[in-house]
Amino acid sequence: MLHDVEAVVLVGGKGTRLRPLTLSAPKPMLPTAGVPFLAHLLSRIRAAGVRRVVLGTSYLAETFSEAFGDGAALGLEIEYVVEDQPLGTGGGIRNVAKHLSTEHVLVFNGDVLCGTDLGAVVDTHRRTEADVTLHLVRVQDPRAYGCVPTDDHGRVLEFLEKTEDPPTDQINAGCYVFRRSVIESIPEGRPVSVERETFPGLLAAGSRVSGHVDNAYWRDMGTPADLIHGSADLVRGVAPSAALPGPTGESLVLEGAQVAAGALVFGGTTVGRGVRIGAGARVEGSMLFDGAVVGEGAVVEHSVIGAGARVDHGARVDETVVGDRAVIGEHCELRHGMRIWPDVVLPPHGVRFSPDV
Ligand code: GTP
């Protein structure tokens, strides 16, 4: 158990790829399978035995302390450190240095859903006497990520940010163990990217940087498609979490929600508090935020329906993000990556978007 390791979670990003959802809530606070996304990560950190967590916040900083307070409800001691100006990933880690006391520190990107054994990552770090250890996962298509080759002894050889011709399928999973003295060596008071500056700098200086590779469940929740998919994986139990507020299954229906007889709700859909789903509706693999309404016969697939938003009778919404309180009029059709901004009202039959038409 990791009683002698503190954790830092970086949650200061603006989450631009998830707009408009992140206009009103930071990415780690988006409701995901019934709780803020960060609650899933914090529950994993707690289950590994870590007791104290420092959150590096910036964008909409107060929403974190309002939700998690001192952390006691999660069995944690949580401290919040706010960046007035976003300092990037490395700058964010440096900014919390004086709030840390353990020799080794676990550091997390606050938007990664992962099932890795954190104790095993720390074991690799200690066994290899590393300055920094990175959790690396193997993915089918590494091109969109930071690619990290290692040698036969697990030593990191280089960092290749988003390359077209990756030499390995191992990517940076956004979870690290740092020796605290390394955190203190990051330049202070200016933006620093840990991926582009700190890690390459450590390698150039001959520091020991280890990779801990595994095949654990892993998903970066940075885009709408990944958020929706990851949420469904949590609901169905494909992605492990102790914070799920109900049994795993085809759907997670929260209190006060009404699902009419004959409506089909499946594929890991979350039905938020006070949501109403009409008869004959079909909702697959989607996130319905609190107070959303899906009308009779409407179809919602792999989409997010924002808080208080409406998808009216017979409308069809597929791979789409509908902002809070927006209205999708009867028989509108929205497909393939559309985003509707909060409070927008689409009149009945008003929009029909489909590459087939
Ligand atoms: P995009 O704008 O969509 O790229 O999202 P993002 O702003 O969250 O950036 P990214 O996904 O690259 O960030 C990875 C993690 O680092 C997330 O958990 C962010 O919250 C966090 N992060 C990014 N920038 C900062 C920062 O300046 N300060 C702090 N404290 N955290 C940050």
PDB file of all heavy atoms in Angstrom, residues 51-71:
ATOM      1  N   ARG A  51      -2.974   8.605   0.763  1.00  0.00           N
ATOM      2  CA  ARG A  51      -3.851   9.333   1.697  1.00  0.00           C
ATOM      3  C   ARG A  51      -3.992  10.818   1.359  1.00  0.00           C
ATOM      4  O   ARG A  51      -4.995  11.428   1.700  1.00  0.00           O
ATOM      5  CB  ARG A  51      -3.278   9.231   3.124  1.00  0.00           C
ATOM      6  CG  ARG A  51      -3.232   7.817   3.644  1.00  0.00           C
ATOM      7  CD  ARG A  51      -4.610   7.425   4.177  1.00  0.00           C
ATOM      8  NE  ARG A  51      -4.700   6.005   4.416  1.00  0.00           N
ATOM      9  CZ  ARG A  51      -4.207   5.369   5.474  1.00  0.00           C
ATOM     10  NH1 ARG A  51      -3.566   6.049   6.399  1.00  0.00           N
ATOM     11  NH2 ARG A  51      -4.352   4.082   5.611  1.00  0.00           N
ATOM     12  N   ARG A  52      -2.943  11.392   0.732  1.00  0.00           N
ATOM     13  CA  ARG A  52      -2.944  12.844   0.555  1.00  0.00           C
ATOM     14  C   ARG A  52      -2.791  13.188  -0.927  1.00  0.00           C
ATOM     15  O   ARG A  52      -1.906  12.655  -1.611  1.00  0.00           O
ATOM     16  CB  ARG A  52      -1.783  13.431   1.361  1.00  0.00           C
ATOM     17  CG  ARG A  52      -1.819  14.899   1.448  1.00  0.00           C
ATOM     18  CD  ARG A  52      -1.005  15.451   2.618  1.00  0.00           C
ATOM     19  NE  ARG A  52      -1.020  16.882   2.470  1.00  0.00           N
ATOM     20  CZ  ARG A  52      -0.239  17.523   1.623  1.00  0.00           C
ATOM     21  NH1 ARG A  52       0.665  16.885   0.917  1.00  0.00           N
ATOM     22  NH2 ARG A  52      -0.351  18.833   1.485  1.00  0.00           N
ATOM     23  N   VAL A  53      -3.688  14.053  -1.415  1.00  0.00           N
ATOM     24  CA  VAL A  53      -3.692  14.420  -2.832  1.00  0.00           C
ATOM     25  C   VAL A  53      -3.660  15.945  -2.952  1.00  0.00           C
ATOM     26  O   VAL A  53      -4.415  16.639  -2.256  1.00  0.00           O
ATOM     27  CB  VAL A  53      -4.968  13.890  -3.532  1.00  0.00           C
ATOM     28  CG1 VAL A  53      -5.000  14.317  -4.994  1.00  0.00           C
ATOM     29  CG2 VAL A  53      -5.063  12.379  -3.425  1.00  0.00           C
ATOM     30  N   VAL A  54      -2.805  16.447  -3.824  1.00  0.00           N
ATOM     31  CA  VAL A  54      -2.784  17.884  -4.116  1.00  0.00           C
ATOM     32  C   VAL A  54      -3.323  18.077  -5.526  1.00  0.00           C
ATOM     33  O   VAL A  54      -2.846  17.441  -6.468  1.00  0.00           O
ATOM     34  CB  VAL A  54      -1.353  18.454  -4.011  1.00  0.00           C
ATOM     35  CG1 VAL A  54      -1.373  19.959  -4.268  1.00  0.00           C
ATOM     36  CG2 VAL A  54      -0.741  18.138  -2.649  1.00  0.00           C
ATOM     37  N   LEU A  55      -4.340  18.918  -5.665  1.00  0.00           N
ATOM     38  CA  LEU A  55      -4.903  19.197  -6.985  1.00  0.00           C
ATOM     39  C   LEU A  55      -4.312  20.498  -7.516  1.00  0.00           C
ATOM     40  O   LEU A  55      -4.403  21.536  -6.849  1.00  0.00           O
ATOM     41  CB  LEU A  55      -6.425  19.336  -6.915  1.00  0.00           C
ATOM     42  CG  LEU A  55      -7.254  18.104  -6.555  1.00  0.00           C
ATOM     43  CD1 LEU A  55      -8.744  18.405  -6.757  1.00  0.00           C
ATOM     44  CD2 LEU A  55      -6.862  16.898  -7.380  1.00  0.00           C
ATOM     45  N   GLY A  56      -3.710  20.447  -8.694  1.00  0.00           N
ATOM     46  CA  GLY A  56      -3.192  21.650  -9.351  1.00  0.00           C
ATOM     47  C   GLY A  56      -4.278  22.206 -10.250  1.00  0.00           C
ATOM     48  O   GLY A  56      -4.566  21.652 -11.301  1.00  0.00           O
ATOM     49  N   THR A  57      -4.911  23.292  -9.806  1.00  0.00           N
ATOM     50  CA  THR A  57      -6.087  23.827 -10.496  1.00  0.00           C
ATOM     51  C   THR A  57      -5.756  25.164 -11.162  1.00  0.00           C
ATOM     52  O   THR A  57      -4.771  25.816 -10.825  1.00  0.00           O
ATOM     53  CB  THR A  57      -7.254  24.056  -9.513  1.00  0.00           C
ATOM     54  OG1 THR A  57      -6.882  25.097  -8.612  1.00  0.00           O
ATOM     55  CG2 THR A  57      -7.578  22.803  -8.724  1.00  0.00           C
ATOM     56  N   SER A  58      -6.619  25.565 -12.085  1.00  0.00           N
ATOM     57  CA  SER A  58      -6.499  26.888 -12.701  1.00  0.00           C
ATOM     58  C   SER A  58      -7.880  27.268 -13.238  1.00  0.00           C
ATOM     59  O   SER A  58      -8.618  28.010 -12.595  1.00  0.00           O
ATOM     60  CB  SER A  58      -5.442  26.867 -13.807  1.00  0.00           C
ATOM     61  OG  SER A  58      -5.380  28.097 -14.453  1.00  0.00           O
ATOM     62  N   TYR A  59      -8.252  26.700 -14.380  1.00  0.00           N
ATOM     63  CA  TYR A  59      -9.542  27.013 -15.008  1.00  0.00           C
ATOM     64  C   TYR A  59     -10.706  26.576 -14.091  1.00  0.00           C
ATOM     65  O   TYR A  59     -10.740  25.421 -13.649  1.00  0.00           O
ATOM     66  CB  TYR A  59      -9.601  26.283 -16.348  1.00  0.00           C
ATOM     67  CG  TYR A  59     -10.894  26.435 -17.118  1.00  0.00           C
ATOM     68  CD1 TYR A  59     -11.322  27.687 -17.550  1.00  0.00           C
ATOM     69  CD2 TYR A  59     -11.669  25.321 -17.406  1.00  0.00           C
ATOM     70  CE1 TYR A  59     -12.493  27.823 -18.269  1.00  0.00           C
ATOM     71  CE2 TYR A  59     -12.843  25.449 -18.138  1.00  0.00           C
ATOM     72  CZ  TYR A  59     -13.256  26.701 -18.558  1.00  0.00           C
ATOM     73  OH  TYR A  59     -14.418  26.834 -19.265  1.00  0.00           O
ATOM     74  N   LEU A  60     -11.611  27.493 -13.790  1.00  0.00           N
ATOM     75  CA  LEU A  60     -12.768  27.228 -12.927  1.00  0.00           C
ATOM     76  C   LEU A  60     -12.351  26.497 -11.642  1.00  0.00           C
ATOM     77  O   LEU A  60     -12.959  25.504 -11.232  1.00  0.00           O
ATOM     78  CB  LEU A  60     -13.841  26.436 -13.689  1.00  0.00           C
ATOM     79  CG  LEU A  60     -14.423  27.132 -14.932  1.00  0.00           C
ATOM     80  CD1 LEU A  60     -15.384  26.206 -15.678  1.00  0.00           C
ATOM     81  CD2 LEU A  60     -15.140  28.427 -14.546  1.00  0.00           C
ATOM     82  N   ALA A  61     -11.291  27.041 -11.021  1.00  0.00           N
ATOM     83  CA  ALA A  61     -10.639  26.355  -9.894  1.00  0.00           C
ATOM     84  C   ALA A  61     -11.592  26.040  -8.747  1.00  0.00           C
ATOM     85  O   ALA A  61     -11.516  24.973  -8.127  1.00  0.00           O
ATOM     86  CB  ALA A  61      -9.484  27.213  -9.393  1.00  0.00           C
ATOM     87  N   GLU A  62     -12.524  26.969  -8.454  1.00  0.00           N
ATOM     88  CA  GLU A  62     -13.350  26.806  -7.258  1.00  0.00           C
ATOM     89  C   GLU A  62     -14.304  25.612  -7.353  1.00  0.00           C
ATOM     90  O   GLU A  62     -14.751  25.086  -6.332  1.00  0.00           O
ATOM     91  CB  GLU A  62     -14.136  28.092  -6.951  1.00  0.00           C
ATOM     92  CG  GLU A  62     -15.165  28.521  -7.996  1.00  0.00           C
ATOM     93  CD  GLU A  62     -14.559  29.000  -9.327  1.00  0.00           C
ATOM     94  OE1 GLU A  62     -13.334  29.236  -9.384  1.00  0.00           O
ATOM     95  OE2 GLU A  62     -15.313  29.105 -10.308  1.00  0.00           O
ATOM     96  N   THR A  63     -14.595  25.161  -8.573  1.00  0.00           N
ATOM     97  CA  THR A  63     -15.555  24.050  -8.705  1.00  0.00           C
ATOM     98  C   THR A  63     -15.009  22.768  -8.057  1.00  0.00           C
ATOM     99  O   THR A  63     -15.778  21.932  -7.595  1.00  0.00           O
ATOM    100  CB  THR A  63     -15.869  23.749 -10.196  1.00  0.00           C
ATOM    101  OG1 THR A  63     -14.645  23.566 -10.886  1.00  0.00           O
ATOM    102  CG2 THR A  63     -16.657  24.854 -10.838  1.00  0.00           C
ATOM    103  N   PHE A  64     -13.693  22.624  -8.000  1.00  0.00           N
ATOM    104  CA  PHE A  64     -13.114  21.405  -7.414  1.00  0.00           C
ATOM    105  C   PHE A  64     -13.293  21.394  -5.899  1.00  0.00           C
ATOM    106  O   PHE A  64     -13.748  20.403  -5.319  1.00  0.00           O
ATOM    107  CB  PHE A  64     -11.631  21.300  -7.776  1.00  0.00           C
ATOM    108  CG  PHE A  64     -11.410  21.092  -9.242  1.00  0.00           C
ATOM    109  CD1 PHE A  64     -11.108  22.150 -10.080  1.00  0.00           C
ATOM    110  CD2 PHE A  64     -11.529  19.829  -9.797  1.00  0.00           C
ATOM    111  CE1 PHE A  64     -10.926  21.968 -11.438  1.00  0.00           C
ATOM    112  CE2 PHE A  64     -11.349  19.624 -11.161  1.00  0.00           C
ATOM    113  CZ  PHE A  64     -11.044  20.706 -11.978  1.00  0.00           C
ATOM    114  N   SER A  65     -12.939  22.509  -5.248  1.00  0.00           N
ATOM    115  CA  SER A  65     -13.054  22.518  -3.783  1.00  0.00           C
ATOM    116  C   SER A  65     -14.514  22.476  -3.358  1.00  0.00           C
ATOM    117  O   SER A  65     -14.855  21.870  -2.340  1.00  0.00           O
ATOM    118  CB  SER A  65     -12.330  23.739  -3.199  1.00  0.00           C
ATOM    119  OG  SER A  65     -12.663  24.894  -3.915  1.00  0.00           O
ATOM    120  N   GLU A  66     -15.403  23.090  -4.163  1.00  0.00           N
ATOM    121  CA  GLU A  66     -16.835  23.010  -3.825  1.00  0.00           C
ATOM    122  C   GLU A  66     -17.320  21.564  -3.845  1.00  0.00           C
ATOM    123  O   GLU A  66     -18.142  21.158  -3.034  1.00  0.00           O
ATOM    124  CB  GLU A  66     -17.650  23.847  -4.826  1.00  0.00           C
ATOM    125  CG  GLU A  66     -17.590  25.346  -4.541  1.00  0.00           C
ATOM    126  CD  GLU A  66     -18.065  26.189  -5.725  1.00  0.00           C
ATOM    127  OE1 GLU A  66     -18.692  25.636  -6.655  1.00  0.00           O
ATOM    128  OE2 GLU A  66     -17.763  27.385  -5.711  1.00  0.00           O
ATOM    129  N   ALA A  67     -16.811  20.771  -4.775  1.00  0.00           N
ATOM    130  CA  ALA A  67     -17.283  19.389  -4.898  1.00  0.00           C
ATOM    131  C   ALA A  67     -16.616  18.438  -3.904  1.00  0.00           C
ATOM    132  O   ALA A  67     -17.271  17.563  -3.341  1.00  0.00           O
ATOM    133  CB  ALA A  67     -17.029  18.884  -6.320  1.00  0.00           C
ATOM    134  N   PHE A  68     -15.326  18.602  -3.661  1.00  0.00           N
ATOM    135  CA  PHE A  68     -14.605  17.581  -2.887  1.00  0.00           C
ATOM    136  C   PHE A  68     -14.174  18.054  -1.501  1.00  0.00           C
ATOM    137  O   PHE A  68     -13.735  17.235  -0.689  1.00  0.00           O
ATOM    138  CB  PHE A  68     -13.374  17.094  -3.668  1.00  0.00           C
ATOM    139  CG  PHE A  68     -13.737  16.395  -4.956  1.00  0.00           C
ATOM    140  CD1 PHE A  68     -13.471  16.978  -6.180  1.00  0.00           C
ATOM    141  CD2 PHE A  68     -14.377  15.164  -4.939  1.00  0.00           C
ATOM    142  CE1 PHE A  68     -13.824  16.345  -7.369  1.00  0.00           C
ATOM    143  CE2 PHE A  68     -14.724  14.516  -6.116  1.00  0.00           C
ATOM    144  CZ  PHE A  68     -14.457  15.107  -7.332  1.00  0.00           C
ATOM    145  N   GLY A  69     -14.285  19.347  -1.217  1.00  0.00           N
ATOM    146  CA  GLY A  69     -13.953  19.864   0.116  1.00  0.00           C
ATOM    147  C   GLY A  69     -12.585  19.391   0.580  1.00  0.00           C
ATOM    148  O   GLY A  69     -11.612  19.388  -0.180  1.00  0.00           O
ATOM    149  N   ASP A  70     -12.511  18.956   1.846  1.00  0.00           N
ATOM    150  CA  ASP A  70     -11.210  18.517   2.373  1.00  0.00           C
ATOM    151  C   ASP A  70     -10.893  17.074   2.004  1.00  0.00           C
ATOM    152  O   ASP A  70      -9.857  16.538   2.391  1.00  0.00           O
ATOM    153  CB  ASP A  70     -11.137  18.713   3.891  1.00  0.00           C
ATOM    154  CG  ASP A  70     -12.175  17.873   4.627  1.00  0.00           C
ATOM    155  OD1 ASP A  70     -12.892  17.069   3.979  1.00  0.00           O
ATOM    156  OD2 ASP A  70     -12.270  18.010   5.867  1.00  0.00           O
ATOM    157  N   GLY A  71     -11.790  16.427   1.278  1.00  0.00           N
ATOM    158  CA  GLY A  71     -11.538  15.062   0.799  1.00  0.00           C
ATOM    159  C   GLY A  71     -11.979  13.967   1.754  1.00  0.00           C
ATOM    160  O   GLY A  71     -11.927  12.780   1.418  1.00  0.00           O
TER     161      GLY A  71
END
